[in-house]
Amino acid sequence: MATRYSSSSGVLLEKQASRTKPPPMYRVILLNDDYTPMEFVVHVLQRFFGKSEEEAMKIMLQVHHEGRGVCGVYPHDVAATRITQVLQFARSRQHPLQCVMEPVGD
């Protein structure tokens, strides 16, 4: 809320409600491949997305059976950071795991 005062008298001149709209949100999605072990995918979901073992298993199975699974929904910068972290972690362990984002609402 913006408030303006007169500098000389300290009198309230105007009070304006300001509303900021929430940032656009993005789904972070893991994509299936034929090489990355299921256990590694579960580990990634727990480490980078804070999933419980049960949640991670459910998402991993969705990735395995449906080809993709949503890890979470975040503002653009957070989603991009998570994707970078996952890709670097996977590459450093010789896994081709792919992680992408798409805008919510599509």
Side-chain angles (χ1 to χ4, degrees):
M1 185 171 291
T3 306
R4 289 185 1 192
Y5 292 95
S6 169
S7 59
S8 60
S9 66
V11 175
L12 177 64
L13 297 176
E14 182 182 320
K15 194 171 187 179
Q16 215 175 38
S18 66
R19 294 186 182 163
T20 57
K21 66 180 188 178
M25 302 298 279
Y26 293 81
R27 285 183 203 92
V28 175
I29 300 166
L30 284 180
L31 303 176
N32 190 38
D33 64 69
D34 293 332
Y35 304 101
T36 305
M38 293 179 181
E39 297 80 18
F40 183 78
V41 174
V42 169
H43 179 71
V44 163
L45 288 162
Q46 291 178 302
R47 178 174 178 163
F48 296 102
F49 299 98
K51 302 299 183 189
S52 67
E53 186 171 358
E54 184 178 328
E55 289 175 305
M57 287 291 289
K58 185 177 179 179
I59 295 168
M60 177 275 297
L61 288 171
Q62 183 179 24
V63 171
H64 182 68
H65 293 293
E66 298 176 23
R68 55 191 271 144
V70 176
C71 306
V73 177
Y74 308 97
H76 186 275
D77 290 347
V78 175
T81 299
R82 300 276 168 96
I83 289 169
T84 299
Q85 291 172 332
V86 167
L87 295 178
Q88 287 177 346
F89 185 71
R91 297 304 165 270
S92 72
R93 283 147 183 87
Q94 310 289 305
H95 296 301
L97 184 63
Q98 290 293 308
C99 191
V100 297
M101 71 172 139
E102 65 183 27
V104 171
D106 284 354

